Amino acid sequence: MPPESLRCKECKTNYPLEARYVCERCFGPLEVAYAARASADPAELRRRIQAGPHSLWRYSDFLPVKAPPRGLLPAGWTPLVRADRLAEQLGLREVWIKNDAANPTHSFKDRVVSVALARARELGFQTVACASTGNLANAVAAHASAAGLESYVFIPADLEEQKILATGVYGGNLVAVRGNYDDVNRLCTELASEHEWAFVNINMRPYYSEGSKTLAFETAEQLGFELPDRVIAPIASGSLFTKIARGFEEWLEIGLLQGELPTFHGAQAAGCSPVATAFQDGQDFCRPVKPDTIAKSLAIGNPADGPYALDLARRSNGSIDSVSDDEIREGIKLLARTTGIFTETAGGVTVAVLAKLAERGAIDPDDRVVAYITGEGLKTLDCARGTFEAWEIEPTLASFEQAAERAHAVA
Ligand SMILES: *Cc1c(COP(=O)(O)O)cnc(C)c1O
Ligand SMILES: [Zn+2]
């Protein structure tokens, strides 16, 4: 399916495949449109995919890049783990965890950045940039260094220290802005019109967002080219959530998958829940909010793809829920203690919403459920502080036995 044009999601006007993102006619967002495949033989396509590299580039037939670039940091092909102990705890039968913390910079942002940077290089850009809630900063800095591109990474100054350190280490220009993400994004939109830079999530956004489709492709392939019944995924701007659905839809259209689009459940933090609130209120648009949550990677108060996320949840019979900071911490703990996977706060949001849905009986116990864990717990370590106590002892047998006795007396 060769990419054909950028097309306005609202009025369908076509534009060349350049670094642009808004429709000049109606100000709607642009997305990549593909030419229809002449003769799509699903068996042949499947063979091509299976012979591909163990990275997201095995799906390059479905991405807006001419050839898979060489010499880049490979992203994707992360584990899909069956989580029976978690399922049992929730009263469900089949729960899978797509662990996207297992990417080079430990979040799903490696996927979107891989595609945006590959396209930026094709378009001849020397400098890449982004407005980030944290994980995108890590990914842009790392992939730019691997590709030998200059980078400018803009973050809110109050970001978790782990994410700042894990960005600075790659070199590149790191700019901490005194403001929240929405302020950072506004500044970057102004900068994008002043400089010849590829802002991965602004003027490169149509290409960037295509990277998230690979989460759907991988899930389906790892399930033996089958679909889940339900999907739980976090929402910040809503791009990831809607593009997972687009991935499944593309494969349904060409016959690589059979059946119906899964039911989509979105997950937000209560401290930044413009999409969940609009869903509950029956609105088609999101009212912007000022974020106040420990889930900083999801703290986008004015989500660009909010209306499309609402539409997806409604047409797939799903929902969009929000959970408190305490529920997020519980979600992190529940996942760690039943699967051995330590996720960051965004994953805590996803697991807490999964638990909430299971509790209110919204999930058929026999459904095949996939929950998307999008980031690594070591990046938001503060959330683990105070949730347990280590035994501190002298290096003697007696001291250990004493401590063990004390611990078991308490328990
Ligand atoms: C960016 C991000 C998301 C989702 O972002 P969208 O803007 O909705 O695509 C989810 N989880 C983590 C950890 C992220 O960094
Ligand atoms: Zn338009």
Side-chain angles (χ1 to χ4, degrees):
M1 298 197 308
E4 190 171 51
S5 63
L6 292 179
R7 187 169 297 157
C8 174
K9 276 173 101 157
E10 296 299 328
C11 76
K12 312 297 175 198
T13 303
N14 287 303
Y15 296 89
L17 289 155
E18 297 166 347
R20 55 164 82 221
Y21 65 109
V22 252
C23 178
E24 286 168 6
R25 287 210 181 148
C26 76
F27 300 105
L30 304 184
E31 64 180 350
V32 178
Y34 294 85
R37 190 183 286 275
S39 59
D41 171 9
E44 170 58 22
L45 269 175
R46 196 167 150 162
R47 269 194 299 276
R48 272 174 66 89
I49 292 166
Q50 287 169 329
H54 285 150
S55 73
L56 58 81
W57 296 115
R58 68 202 276 108
Y59 309 111
S60 55
D61 281 353
F62 309 91
L63 295 172
V65 184
K66 283 193 195 81
R70 268 176 300 172
L72 291 189
L73 202 51
W77 201 244
T78 58
L80 181 71
V81 184
R82 183 146 176 176
D84 284 338
R85 297 193 62 240
L86 175 62
E88 193 185 333
Q89 193 112 343
L90 300 174
L92 303 175
R93 193 178 57 82
E94 190 178 345
V95 175
W96 296 84
I97 297 295
K98 180 64 171 163
N99 184 13
D100 240 27
N103 266 307
T105 70
H106 316 290
S107 86
F108 102 95
K109 292 293 197 299
D110 286 305
R111 296 177 186 275
V112 284
V113 169
S114 294
V115 177
L117 254 62
R119 184 63 190 145
R121 292 213 303 187
E122 283 183 353
L123 291 171
F125 284 99
Q126 302 297 320
T127 303
V128 294
C130 70
S132 174
T133 57
N135 286 316
L136 187 58
N138 294 178
V140 166
H143 290 257
S145 288
L149 296 167
E150 175 137 40
S151 67
Y152 283 86
V153 164
F154 296 84
I155 53 169
D158 71 347
L159 208 58
E160 297 98 337
E161 194 188 11
Q162 289 93 353
K163 284 182 185 158
I164 297 178
L165 293 172
T167 302
V169 71
Y170 298 111
N173 305 290
L174 178 57
V175 187
V177 179
R178 292 183 208 108
N180 63 25
Y181 173 79
D182 298 287
D183 299 320
V184 176
N185 192 43
R186 201 171 334 106
L187 169 65
C188 287
T189 306
E190 285 174 43
L191 282 165
S193 59
E194 294 291 315
H195 294 271
E196 286 289 304
W197 297 347
F199 270 93
V200 300
N201 56 339
I202 301 176
N203 53 8
M204 297 300 287
R205 192 171 179 84
Y207 309 103
Y208 161 99
S209 58
E210 289 287 287
S212 291
K213 293 189 313 191
T214 61
L215 266 171
F217 301 151
E218 271 180 36
T219 303
E221 187 181 354
Q222 288 169 321
L223 290 172
F225 289 88
E226 285 186 12
L227 284 163
D229 299 307
R230 275 173 209 278
V231 159
I232 327 282
I235 295 177
S237 71
S239 172
L240 163 81
F241 186 67
T242 50
K243 286 292 180 166
I244 294 174
R246 173 58 62 85
F248 288 134
E249 282 167 342
E250 282 184 6
W251 275 22
L252 280 165
E253 276 161 31
I254 57 165
L256 263 172
L257 292 172
Q258 257 72 50
E260 278 176 41
L261 186 68
T263 296
F264 273 73
H265 297 280
Q268 291 211 295
C272 182
S273 56
V275 196
T277 304
F279 183 86
Q280 248 82 64
D281 294 349
Q283 302 287 326
D284 295 335
F285 288 93
C286 304
R287 185 176 305 183
V289 301
K290 238 188 155 70
D292 180 14
T293 167
I294 58 169
K296 292 194 188 214
S297 55
L298 302 181
I300 296 184
N302 190 10
D305 290 303
Y308 304 110
L310 287 165
D311 175 62
L312 171 60
R314 290 188 177 124
R315 73 186 157 86
S316 70
N317 242 331
S319 62
I320 301 174
D321 282 272
S322 65
V323 286
S324 69
D325 283 358
D326 281 341
E327 290 173 305
I328 295 168
R329 289 191 192 89
E330 285 303 314
I332 293 173
K333 236 174 18 184
L334 175 62
L335 185 71
R337 292 175 185 203
T338 56
T339 68
I341 294 169
F342 180 26
T343 183
E344 69 148 81
T345 44
V349 171
T350 303
V351 174
V353 166
L354 169 63
K356 197 173 237 187
L357 291 167
E359 198 170 312
R360 74 163 180 252
I363 300 178
D364 187 320
D366 282 333
D367 278 350
R368 173 188 277 172
V369 180
V370 174
Y372 286 89
I373 295 305
T374 48
E376 162 65 48
L378 294 175
K379 291 198 201 184
T380 59
L381 270 178
D382 279 344
C383 295
R385 194 161 286 139
T387 61
F388 63 91
E389 220 174 299
W391 309 354
E392 197 167 327
I393 64 167
E394 298 306 320
T396 65
L397 208 53
S399 182
F400 172 77
E401 296 299 354
Q402 229 172 32
E405 213 166 286
R406 227 179 306 128
H408 293 136
V410 174

